[in-house]
Amino acid sequence: MSFAILTDTTRCTGCERCVDACVEANHLGEDVRYRWREADGLNGARYCSVVQIDAYHWVRKQCRHCLEPACVTACPVGALHKTEEGPVIYDRDICMGCRYCMMACPYQIPRYMWEQTVPYISKCTMCWEAMQRGEIEQPACTEACTEQATQFFSGREQALAEARRRIAAHPGFYFEDRIWGEHEVGGTSVIYI
């Protein structure tokens, strides 16, 4: 079993319910912005964001939970690891703050918590720990999305099948009729259409 998230950019209204749900579920606190990261909204207190592309299009940005994560490979102390269920999780008790994961990530997702006295890395874990404890059945962000612009699947193949079904049902509607994350950098557990 490999958890997956399908993000359908044609359904996103930019409401940011997913961001609010993530902040609440992960107890992230006040948003801290930096000039060099304003464009995508991610920072030490935001694991996901909604980026406005134009007047009518938004894209949710979060960790892609790569099938072969470069961040995990780059971490010299094992603070990041890929679970059997698919999410790439982070153990701040092991982290030494080298930021190699930030440099290795092809999507520039891990963020450094510059505002902390002892800074750590910050990234989405797909709410893996809360799901393991049985507190929630799916990531907070997907549960909050009323438009089904972002949906959780208990298997990556299910998410890919749904993406293919949507593309087939509306030929030419999606950009290049392509599933982003199906093959890029070895494939990801968060895919986009």
Side-chain angles (χ1 to χ4, degrees), residues 8 10-11 166-167 170-178 193:
D8 186 336
T10 67
R11 294 184 179 194
R166 290 184 190 186
I167 289 170
H170 303 285
F173 185 66
Y174 293 98
F175 183 72
E176 295 184 11
D177 286 346
R178 176 177 170 188
I193 54 174

Side-chain angles (χ1 to χ4, degrees), residues 39-188:
D40 71 4
L42 294 179
N43 59 51
R46 293 295 174 269
Y47 294 170
C48 72
S49 67
V50 177
V51 179
Q52 188 165 6
I53 304 302
D54 60 34
Y56 304 104
H57 296 96
W58 297 267
V59 176
R60 194 163 84 91
K61 187 167 184 175
Q62 71 172 95
C63 176
R64 304 304 197 284
H65 298 280
C66 299
L67 301 181
E68 299 172 19
C71 61
V72 171
T73 303
C75 183
V77 295
L80 291 156
H81 79 274
K82 179 123 178 119
T83 65
E84 288 182 24
E85 294 85 359
V88 176
I89 62 171
Y90 168 70
D91 185 343
R92 72 185 294 166
D93 293 334
I94 299 172
C95 181
M96 64 181 202
C98 68
R99 294 174 276 167
Y100 288 167
C101 58
M102 291 174 64
M103 292 180 276
C105 178
Y107 299 106
Q108 300 176 336
I109 298 297
R111 299 300 159 98
Y112 203 55
M113 300 173 85
W114 296 101
E115 67 281 1
Q116 300 293 321
T117 305
V118 179
Y120 293 100
I121 294 300
S122 176
K123 68 170 284 305
C124 165
T125 61
M126 207 185 287
C127 293
W128 183 81
E129 290 175 347
M131 290 194 324
Q132 292 300 304
R133 290 189 301 264
E135 296 170 6
I136 57 176
E137 294 183 17
Q138 63 178 302
C141 60
T142 59
E143 171 114 34
C145 186
T146 57
E147 304 298 322
Q148 294 187 325
T150 185
Q151 286 184 278
F152 176 72
F153 292 85
S154 60
R156 185 172 184 266
E157 287 307 315
Q158 293 172 318
L160 289 169
E162 176 61 16
R164 289 184 190 105
R165 185 196 67 74
R166 290 184 190 186
I167 289 170
H170 303 285
F173 185 66
Y174 293 98
F175 183 72
E176 295 184 11
D177 286 346
R178 176 177 170 188
I179 301 171
W180 300 87
E182 183 174 16
H183 303 292
E184 288 78 10
V185 299
T188 62

